Amino acid sequence: MRRTTFSSLTVAVTLAAALLTAAPASAETAAPGRTDWVPAPTPPTDQPAGARCDFPIHTEPIVDQVVRQVLATHPDGKPKEVAYKGDLVVRVTNTDTGAFHDVDAGGSTIIEIGTDGSQLWHTIGPVLVGVGENNGNLPRGEYRIDGVYTLAISPTGYRTLRMAHGSTDDICRRIG
């Protein structure tokens, strides 16, 4: 088990280092399927009471400098591996009371996308992840996950967090 954790940590650190130092691709140097870094705006969302928290929430970026780069594509041209990086701060608001918390969610991630729609996130740093009732190995909530970890998302949306090192913070508790 210790070896697996070290191995996961090593892979994540290597991926993050590659992601953070990657030079923008150009038409002359890009690997097949690879694209330049482009903006990847985070849309605002609304969740009704009971979906993530016991009350309705609204999430909206207040700083969004996230960019993405397609690293590889499937034979049909759809993305297979996508890298994300950049500053992101998301305001999570309890729309019943107006209480809010600003969440640093600017982690660096490489996402492997399966042909079935599944995703495997290899992440260093914080991201904001919502988990529905019985839809993950974390309880229902809106989480800031920080550290070195993977997040597997099945084709049905079930989320499985595997933490090599880090923490989770349920934002519902902060604004409830």
Side-chain angles (χ1 to χ4, degrees):
M1 183 84 173
R2 179 171 286 244
R3 183 180 181 129
T4 301
T5 301
F6 177 75
S7 198
S8 297
L9 180 61
T10 302
V11 168
V13 169
T14 302
L15 286 172
L19 173 62
L20 294 173
T21 60
S26 68
E28 296 81 32
T29 63
R34 189 174 184 140
T35 63
D36 288 336
W37 289 100
V38 297
T42 301
T45 64
D46 291 287
Q47 295 290 330
R52 301 289 191 264
C53 306
D54 292 337
F55 43 84
I57 61 170
H58 176 76
T59 64
E60 185 160 350
I62 56 175
V63 173
D64 192 348
Q65 298 173 346
V66 176
V67 291
R68 76 180 199 132
Q69 182 182 50
V70 175
L71 302 175
T73 57
H74 291 285
D76 65 1
K78 292 181 181 172
K80 178 179 180 180
E81 271 188 353
V82 183
Y84 291 86
K85 67 179 183 176
D87 292 339
L88 178 63
V89 178
V90 178
R91 178 162 290 167
V92 182
T93 304
N94 175 334
T95 57
D96 279 347
T97 67
F100 67 88
H101 185 70
D102 293 340
V103 179
D104 173 4
S108 296
T109 302
I110 294 177
I111 300 176
E112 297 175 31
I113 304 167
T115 56
D116 60 358
S118 62
Q119 298 180 10
L120 180 59
W121 298 22
H122 303 273
T123 304
I124 284 191
V127 297
L128 187 64
V129 175
V131 179
E133 188 71 39
N134 299 315
N135 204 29
N137 66 341
L138 291 172
R140 174 178 59 101
E142 189 75 16
Y143 292 93
R144 178 184 186 262
I145 303 171
D146 193 6
V148 178
Y149 53 92
T150 61
L151 179 69
I153 303 175
S154 76
T156 63
Y158 190 89
R159 288 144 166 75
T160 303
L161 175 65
R162 290 191 177 87
M163 186 76 67
H165 178 76
S167 61
T168 60
D169 182 12
D170 188 352
I171 305 305
C172 298
R173 291 183 184 178
R174 291 186 173 272
I175 60 175

